[in-house]
Amino acid sequence: MKPHTVSPCSSPRLRLREGSGGPPNPRRLVVVIVSAALRRKGVLLVVPLIYAVVMMVLLGCWDLKSVPVSVGVAVLRRPPPGAVYKSPQVFKNLWPFMLADVNHSNALQTAWNSKGTPRWNPCVSKSLSQTELPKSTGFLIIEANGGLNQQRLSICDAVAVAGLLNATLVIPIFHLNSVWRDSSKFGDIFDEEYFIDTLRNHVRVVKELPEDILQRFDNNISNIINMRAKALSTKTYYLQKVLPKLLELGAVRIAPFSNRLALSVPSNVQRLRCLTNYEALRFSEPIRGLAENLVDRMVKNSSHSSGKYVSVHLRFEEDMVAFSCCTYDGGMEEKHEMDNARERSWRGKFRRPGRIISPEANRMDGKCPLTPLEVGMMLRGMGFGNSTPVYVASGQIYNAEKYMAPLRQLFPLLETKETLASADELAPFKGHSSRLAALDYTVCTYSEVFVTTQGGNFPHFLTGHRRYLNGGHSKTIKPDKRNLVLSLDNPSIRSNFLSMFQTVLQKISSILTISMIPKCRWDKFKRNMQEMLHQSDSKGSVLRKPNTSIYTFPMPDCMCPQEA
């Protein structure tokens, strides 16, 4: 099909082309329009033209829904809005507007509105009974699996179960996870002595099973009965099924032990979870020492913003991208890499008969990990300028050279643990994902703003921890990704036809010394992002509801309203 062409005007005075081809000459067109306006007979021509131009400009502010494109009798399928990753094209078109926008709000100082929000203080230690511990019913052995915060979850729940059963907890064993591949033991990540001492008035904890108990099982822990509790088991299960075996045998084992205790349990059990998570689980001295140095360096680098900085938990590692089954802009090479990554880690899980994978549906449903570029555009739209200090917490970013470049372009003051610490400082942590995650966890804990991009245990625990430390407010941006992908859907911003008329109108505007071209698309994007920031602020202080996690919502179980 031949492209549609516009025949040139018959009058030489209104000819818009220089020669037989090429784009319209805006300068020549301006001269023609202004000259016509100076002639009385030209008014009838100029008024409709200017009206048409203004209407075209205003169209740039409207949100037109995507419609099928007709070609003859056939209809070409156009993906629904938000279904396809178009962010690089959108960024290319919005970048000039971002550079020109010097009126952004000081979001780092004004992100959180504390007016009218009651302040909460930690009070878990006061709420727990300080009476003498009853006789131990036996030894509880659990095996924590997963990454740092899944291990943390297992430890806190294990203390709660031990308190419920009046059992003595053996320091948890860490399972060598096939994905995380970290051989660290409890004492490599957490301060064992501090953990035992903090809990001493509430739950007995020992470093290892006593020799006489171990001999009952031929000195082999594997011979101890494994109760294999179901996920989210209730208080009743532990009292009716586990306790009798504990009293009979002197020791029981529960492995694996992840999410094995119900979310809703009695208040005294909840408080044991809180005490463990927020007070007893202190990182080991090597982690704590370097993490505190990283925080100090971030604060020093943020001196122009009163020591405040933004932290971002960026879940764009290869395994995360592969598991999400989302597609980006890497073409067949990306597809091949993701297929290999899925097979390496999950061995056929994604190739089972009947399994349907829809990247478009995943993206529209907000299930795709945000790229560094999308996080950067979101933050700029929220009013965080290019002088905002940003710390990125992550593992190894997929195709980092390509995907991190635009985020650094948007935020030049960007740091990671690798840029803040020397190679020698990080050397003891290399190959230990949980220890590295502990460094990120600490730097994120003390940021003014925390941005979560993909869910998981890290942001769930960190959001709750920040509420515990910040008077009940999480100071966390949790983007509505379903709406975000819609805001990032239109790569055109302006059509070529509209662009031509806007260029003409800009020329006229400069002559008349007035501004007639609103930056419609960028302004609307900013409004959407600032509304998203407001929503995060309004949901920052939330009380725990039944069947929600106390690790994310520590109020009111772990915190009390501040007295006036």
Side-chain angles (χ1 to χ4, degrees):
M1 180 179 291
K2 294 183 179 179
H4 178 68
T5 58
V6 179
S7 58
C9 299
S10 58
S11 171
R13 294 181 180 178
L14 296 179
R15 191 177 302 277
L16 303 182
R17 300 182 182 274
E18 295 181 343
S20 60
N25 186 331
R27 184 176 299 177
R28 183 75 173 273
L29 181 57
V30 171
V31 173
V32 172
I33 293 173
V34 174
S35 299
L38 296 177
R39 292 181 172 86
R40 185 175 301 177
K41 294 182 179 180
V43 172
L44 295 177
L45 171 65
V46 172
V47 171
L49 181 59
I50 291 179
Y51 175 79
V53 171
V54 171
M55 292 304 295
M56 285 293 183
V57 171
L58 292 178
L59 281 174
C61 299
W62 297 350
D63 289 329
L64 301 179
K65 299 293 184 181
S66 296
V67 296
V69 181
S70 297
V71 181
V73 295
V75 177
L76 300 180
R77 177 185 176 274
R78 179 175 293 172
V84 178
Y85 178 68
K86 304 174 184 176
S87 301
Q89 301 97 302
V90 175
F91 173 60
K92 180 180 178 181
N93 285 286
L94 289 184
W95 177 239
F97 295 153
M98 295 183 192
L99 288 176
D101 187 1
V102 295
N103 296 319
H104 56 75
S105 63
N106 189 9
L108 195 55
Q109 305 295 335
T110 61
W112 315 119
N113 179 18
S114 59
K115 294 181 180 179
T117 303
R119 188 172 180 84
W120 294 72
N121 292 328
C123 60
V124 61
S125 298
K126 299 176 182 177
S127 304
L128 282 167
S129 171
Q130 299 289 325
T131 58
E132 184 178 352
L133 290 174
K135 181 181 178 182
S136 175
T137 55
F139 292 89
L140 176 64
I141 303 162
I142 69 104
E143 186 175 291
N145 55 311
L148 172 68
N149 291 287
Q150 196 167 342
Q151 292 168 339
R152 192 181 194 109
L153 172 65
S154 299
I155 295 165
C156 296
D157 283 0
V159 171
V161 170
L164 176 65
L165 303 178
N166 292 322
T168 299
L169 178 67
V170 180
I171 286 286
I173 300 167
F174 285 178
H175 171 68
L176 182 60
N177 186 272
S178 59
V179 175
W180 297 98
R181 302 181 184 91
D182 188 343
S183 60
S184 299
K185 295 179 173 55
F186 185 100
D188 297 320
I189 301 173
F190 300 106
D191 188 329
E192 274 187 343
E193 297 296 340
Y194 186 83
F195 179 75
I196 294 171
D197 185 63
T198 303
L199 296 173
R200 71 181 185 280
N201 293 325
H202 311 287
V203 175
R204 294 183 180 88
V205 182
V206 296
K207 291 186 178 181
E208 55 187 23
L209 202 62
E211 189 66 29
D212 60 323
I213 301 295
L214 191 58
Q215 287 177 357
R216 296 185 195 175
F217 302 96
D218 295 330
N219 295 307
N220 188 346
I221 288 180
S222 298
N223 292 332
I224 299 174
I225 186 173
N226 186 1
M227 298 300 295
R228 294 196 178 277
K230 294 181 180 180
L232 303 177
S233 293
T234 64
K235 167 189 173 182
T236 302
Y237 169 81
Y238 285 102
L239 291 176
Q240 293 184 357
K241 300 294 184 180
V242 178
L243 182 57
K245 286 293 182 183
L246 192 62
L247 292 169
E248 175 189 349
L249 303 173
V252 297
R253 186 165 57 96
I254 306 177
F257 190 83
S258 177
N259 292 298
R260 290 305 191 269
L261 179 60
L263 296 172
S264 293
V265 292
S267 295
N268 62 319
V269 180
Q270 294 285 35
R271 293 187 187 109
L272 282 176
R273 281 170 153 168
C274 295
L275 179 67
T276 307
N277 187 41
Y278 300 118
E279 304 294 342
L281 279 180
R282 185 174 75 174
F283 290 126
S284 63
E285 195 284 326
I287 293 175
R288 202 165 65 250
L290 180 54
E292 289 172 357
N293 286 338
L294 297 185
V295 172
D296 289 342
R297 291 166 194 174
M298 252 340 272
V299 170
K300 183 178 179 181
N301 293 349
S302 310
S303 58
H304 66 280
S305 56
S306 304
K308 297 179 178 180
Y309 59 92
V310 174
S311 62
V312 178
H313 183 223
L314 195 56
R315 290 308 315 272
F316 205 70
E317 302 93 346
E318 183 178 73
D319 67 311
M320 191 69 228
V321 177
F323 187 80
S324 72
C325 295
C326 297
T327 57
Y328 294 90
D329 60 345
M332 291 305 299
E333 181 179 356
E334 175 191 303
K335 181 181 184 305
H336 180 69
E337 290 173 348
M338 293 300 100
D339 286 344
N340 288 342
R342 281 189 282 269
E343 192 60 27
R344 254 193 329 268
S345 297
W346 296 283
R347 295 186 183 87
K349 176 179 179 178
F350 295 91
R351 294 186 289 102
R352 290 173 183 169
R355 177 152 192 169
I356 299 174
I357 297 174
S358 174
E360 290 184 357
N362 287 348
R363 182 168 174 83
M364 288 190 295
D365 203 30
K367 295 180 180 178
C368 291
L370 295 182
T371 63
L373 169 61
E374 290 173 324
V375 173
M377 292 177 66
M378 178 185 73
L379 288 174
R380 286 294 286 267
M382 288 177 174
F384 296 91
N386 66 351
S387 62
T388 303
V390 174
Y391 178 85
V392 172
S394 71
Q396 181 62 45
I397 297 296
Y398 170 61
N399 204 348
E401 185 175 350
K402 169 187 173 181
Y403 283 108
M404 286 298 291
L407 180 58
R408 293 186 183 278
Q409 181 180 345
L410 285 161
F411 293 99
L413 302 181
L414 185 147
E415 302 283 1
T416 64
K417 53 185 172 290
E418 288 80 11
T419 61
L420 285 176
S422 68
D424 288 342
E425 287 176 315
L426 285 176
F429 302 88
K430 290 295 184 182
H432 300 286
S433 59
S434 290
R435 301 185 211 182
L436 291 170
L439 298 176
D440 281 338
Y441 187 97
T442 305
V443 182
C444 290
T445 298
Y446 295 101
S447 63
E448 175 65 13
V449 176
F450 171 62
V451 183
T452 172
T453 63
Q454 188 56 20
N457 284 316
F458 187 102
H460 288 170
F461 269 84
L462 194 59
T463 298
H465 209 144
R466 289 169 63 81
R467 284 191 170 107
Y468 193 77
L469 297 175
N470 292 314
H473 198 295
S474 65
K475 294 190 174 184
T476 296
I477 296 174
K478 184 179 180 181
D480 180 345
K481 293 200 288 183
R482 292 179 180 178
N483 285 332
L484 182 59
V485 298
L486 294 177
S487 296
L488 294 168
D489 181 70
N490 184 0
S492 300
I493 308 302
R494 299 176 297 175
S495 67
N496 291 334
F497 184 63
L498 177 58
S499 179
M500 179 188 75
F501 279 103
Q502 285 185 331
T503 302
V504 171
L505 198 56
Q506 283 174 334
K507 294 289 185 179
I508 297 174
S509 300
S510 64
I511 294 173
L512 300 177
T513 65
I514 59 174
S515 177
M516 300 174 63
I517 306 294
K519 299 177 179 63
C520 302
R521 184 71 181 182
W522 173 234
D523 288 345
K524 179 167 179 57
F525 183 81
K526 285 199 302 180
R527 287 195 298 272
N528 290 345
M529 297 305 102
Q530 286 161 10
E531 175 60 26
M532 203 173 291
L533 175 58
H534 174 71
Q535 289 176 1
S536 291
D537 181 27
S538 65
K539 295 177 181 178
S541 299
V542 180
L543 300 183
R544 190 180 75 85
K545 298 177 181 178
N547 293 319
T548 57
S549 172
I550 199 168
Y551 305 118
T552 306
F553 304 102
M555 306 175 296
D557 304 84
C558 315
M559 305 180 72
C560 302
Q562 180 174 291
E563 296 179 2

